[in-house]
Amino acid sequence: FEGVPLVPAYHPAYVLRSPRVKPQLIASLAHAARVARGEEYEAPQLTQGADGPVVAVDVECSPDGALLCLAEASSPDAGSWIPIEHSSASSPFDVHRWDNYSLIGQNFTFDLGVIERHTGADLSHLWTDDTMLMSHLLDENLPKGLKFQSNLCLGVPNYAENVKEFSPTYDTERLRRYNVQDACATYGLWETYYQRLEDEGLRLIYDEIVMPT
């Protein structure tokens, strides 16, 4: 307004009467702080493969559960995309590429299950961290979805809007951007949550109690 950035937000009095919108207020205040600091979001770049040692993996599936594609990222700024032949029973990628890496994901039991069904490989021994479980331990009252958490913690805008459409003629470029963004956001959240668990003295609880379950 007249050269001054404005960030709309719910009035705190309304939030007191309607606690369900508290997460949106928290996200708006976090966004206002980033605007005040002059921070600007930059979309991740496409690379030719993750280089570890920690790799965030995200899959996208069709409505019938078939694996469409997967993305991997070893930084919040860049990720690679692997399209999968929808009608093929064999995998066009070698899961042994991850043998020396630690795999992380958001609600990773789902992604891991899809990859293992598609490849027939057991990757459970490579699974190190789940950002959804990390976020729950840090604040059990906030939504655990990747889009909300990445917006709150990283300033990532809602890239899901008008990006992902699954159909026989889905837009490959839009699906690629969405998939890579998921992987990069997951990696960025992992970096943030890992440090917070250390700072708040929760890492041992997470490693010994939360993750093994």
Side-chain angles (χ1 to χ4, degrees), residues 48-157:
Q48 294 301 314
D51 55 7
V54 177
V55 176
V57 177
D58 181 81
V59 305
E60 300 298 338
C61 298
S62 64
D64 62 2
L67 178 60
L68 291 177
C69 56
L70 66 84
E72 54 184 14
S74 51
S75 87
D77 304 315
S80 61
W81 188 63
I82 305 172
I84 309 296
E85 290 296 331
H86 181 84
S87 60
S88 175
S90 61
S91 172
F93 64 94
D94 181 10
V95 294
H96 294 295
R97 65 196 287 144
W98 297 323
D99 282 350
N100 297 317
Y101 297 159
S102 296
L103 301 183
I104 60 175
Q106 167 83 3
N107 189 23
F108 202 38
T109 52
F110 172 80
D111 300 74
L112 198 64
V114 171
I115 296 171
E116 289 180 340
R117 287 195 302 272
H118 187 81
T119 64
D122 180 6
L123 303 175
S124 58
H125 61 290
L126 301 177
W127 179 23
T128 304
D129 288 316
D130 190 318
T131 51
M132 188 174 70
L133 297 178
M134 290 172 135
S135 67
H136 182 76
L137 182 58
L138 289 164
D139 192 333
E140 64 187 45
N141 297 309
L142 287 178
K144 305 301 179 294
L146 179 61
K147 308 306 179 292
F148 175 85
Q149 287 289 333
S150 60
N151 176 259
L152 174 66
C153 299
L154 307 174
V156 178

